[in-house]
Amino acid sequence: MSAGTLTAAQALLSYAASIGAGFGAGTAVNLLAGRVQDEETSVRGNQCHTCGAPLPAARLVPLAGFRRANRTCTTCGKTASLRAPILSLALALVYPLLLNHILSSASASHLPILVIFAIEAVACALLAFIFAVDLEHKLILDIAVYPALMALILIAALFDHKALAAMLFGLIIYGGLFLLLYGLGFLLYRTEALGLGDVKLALLIGLMIGWPAIVQALILGGLFGAAISLLLLGMGVATRRTYIPYGIFMATGAVLALLLTPPFW
Ligand SMILES: [Zn+2]
C-alpha cells in the first residue's frame, strides 16, 4: 500500500482516523502526565492537583480545556494549566502530518505502512509525555525510557535488521554525545551540568530516529532550544542561571525529525 494506491475516500478516512487517534493519544498522555506528581500528593488522573476534588469530565474532551471554566476546579477555584488542550491539539496535528509523510516516502521496509505509522505515532505520544513531565517536574522518568528502548530493539531485531543497524548507530551518536557532555560537565563544574535523564533520553531518541536523521534531530532540537532560551532571556523571564529543562527541546527536535526525514524502517 502506498499513497498512489489509496482512493480519495480511503485517504480521507485515513487522515480523519489519524486526527482522531491524535486526540485520543493526547487525552491518554494528559491523564498519564497528570498522575506524575510530587511525592506528597497522590492524584489519580482527572483530579484537582491542589485539593484532590474530581475535575469536570468536560476537561477530558479534546480542546474543551481551552475554555477556562473547563480547567477550573469547582471546589477550590484553582485553574489547571493549558497543557491538556495544547498537547491534544499538537498530537492531532502531528498524526496526519506523520501519516502523510510515511505515505509519501518510498520505503522498502519489511513492515506494513500501518505498522510503521503505529510505531512512530506511539513514539510521538511518548515524546509528548516526556516533554510534559520534563517541563512540569524537570524530570525524565526511567519508565518513559527503558520499556520503549527494549520494545524498539526487539521489533527491529525480529523484523528489520537494516533498521536495527540505523537505530543502533543513532543511539551511539546521540547517546554518546550526551554522555560526553555529561562527563565534561562533571569534570568542569564538579556538578551535574546536564542531567543523567537527558543522557537516557538521548539514548532513546537516537534509537527512535536512527542514523542519519539523528543529525537533523540534534540540530533542530538545538536551534529550538537556543531560540526559546534567547527569547526568555530577551523578555527578562529567565536569567543565565535559570534552569531550563533541555529534554523538551530534544523531544521537539525528535518529533520534527520524524516529520521531516525519511523513515529508516
Ligand atoms: Zn481543587
Side-chain angles (χ1 to χ4, degrees), residues 47-55 72-79:
Q47 271 180 311
C48 172
H49 288 178
T50 306
C51 72
L55 287 173
T72 304
C73 172
T74 48
T75 309
C76 73
K78 173 94 176 161
T79 301

Side-chain angles (χ1 to χ4, degrees), residues 25-40:
T27 300
V29 167
N30 279 310
L31 278 175
L32 287 173
R35 293 188 64 155
V36 180
Q37 288 303 310
D38 305 323
E39 306 207 340
E40 311 85 70

Side-chain angles (χ1 to χ4, degrees), residues 230-247:
L230 285 176
L231 192 71
L232 292 178
L233 284 171
M235 289 179 2
V237 182
T239 68
R240 284 183 54 195
R241 293 186 173 277
T242 307
Y243 175 80
I244 302 174
Y246 196 67

